[in-house]
Amino acid sequence: MSAMTSRLRLALWALVALAAVAATLLFFVTRPGPESGGIGGGSYALVDQRGNPVDQSMLVGQPSLLFFGYTHCPDVCPTTMGEMAGWFADLGDEAENLKAFFVTVDPERDTPEILNGYVSWVSDRVTGVTGKPEEIAKMVKAWKVLGEKVPGEGSDYTMNHTASVFLVNAQGGFEGTIAYQEDATTALAKIRKLLGKSA
């Protein structure tokens, strides 16, 4: 690979990361307030990484972390999943009732098998979620996140998506977000606050 090709590839990945951060900022600027119904809710029929059917009820019954990404993501998703592994490790027994969901915005490539390998190293409480594109679209719309295809070379593509982790209470309601690469101390404080509300 020539130096020019390497520089071009690095520049493209930097643009993808910038687009993800921009998508997150757009979410905060345009997200609806309580008077317009807030975010979350909706109904959708999906499957987890073991092929078991899941729907909107997966977010009810325990506090949860909810992240929308895709397994081919070059930086935002692996970084966030690594941070999530750290949060679970730091919280220890405090996170006994905390679950997490990695919902793909790229169901064309992210099969249950691929998702299983991707999320299983983080924690046994992280569930990968995929399904038919139209059902994923319903959940993406319900949570007011961005998940759009960005064409690349040939048939290759990346996905522009919201980079924040959503904090979800035990009733399945939105409680806030953890920003991409937010300070670990701040992130843990937010999770502990979520756990306290759900106790």
Side-chain angles (χ1 to χ4, degrees):
M1 184 182 293
S2 70
M4 181 175 288
T5 302
S6 295
R7 285 195 297 271
L8 179 59
R9 187 175 294 270
L10 284 172
L12 287 173
W13 287 137
L15 286 173
V16 169
L18 183 62
V21 173
T24 300
L25 292 174
L26 181 64
F27 162 77
F28 284 110
V29 171
T30 60
R31 67 177 175 172
E35 68 281 356
S36 61
I39 64 173
S43 60
Y44 29 82
L46 301 168
V47 294
D48 67 15
Q49 80 266 27
R50 295 178 182 84
N52 300 316
V54 293
D55 58 22
Q56 61 281 357
S57 65
M58 68 185 177
L59 297 172
V60 177
Q62 74 290 311
S64 304
L65 305 176
L66 176 62
F67 181 70
F68 292 83
Y70 68 115
T71 64
H72 286 71
C73 182
D75 42 27
V76 173
C77 297
T79 297
T80 300
M81 295 302 278
E83 289 175 338
M84 196 176 287
W87 301 335
F88 274 108
D90 289 342
L91 289 165
D93 291 342
E94 289 182 76
E96 182 180 3
N97 296 320
L98 180 68
K99 287 192 176 182
F101 297 91
F102 178 95
V103 181
T104 184
V105 293
D106 185 18
E108 293 178 30
R109 293 184 293 195
D110 287 342
T111 62
E113 294 78 15
I114 288 173
L115 276 177
N116 189 46
Y118 193 79
V119 303
S120 60
W121 65 272
V122 180
S123 168
D124 59 4
R125 280 167 289 174
V126 179
T127 300
V129 178
T130 187
K132 295 180 180 177
E134 59 269 24
E135 294 298 317
I136 289 289
K138 289 179 184 178
M139 189 171 184
V140 165
K141 182 178 180 181
W143 284 89
K144 307 292 192 291
V145 298
L146 185 65
E148 63 181 14
K149 187 180 291 188
V150 180
E153 296 180 15
S155 60
D156 194 21
Y157 63 90
T158 58
M159 298 295 295
N160 190 4
H161 64 95
T162 302
S164 293
V165 174
F166 292 80
L167 300 165
V168 185
N169 62 34
Q171 293 72 48
F174 172 74
E175 287 288 342
T177 60
I178 297 173
Y180 176 57
Q181 291 191 312
E182 186 158 333
D183 175 75
T185 301
T186 304
L188 288 168
K190 289 181 176 181
I191 296 171
R192 286 189 172 105
K193 182 178 178 182
L194 174 70
L195 293 171
K197 285 188 175 183
S198 301

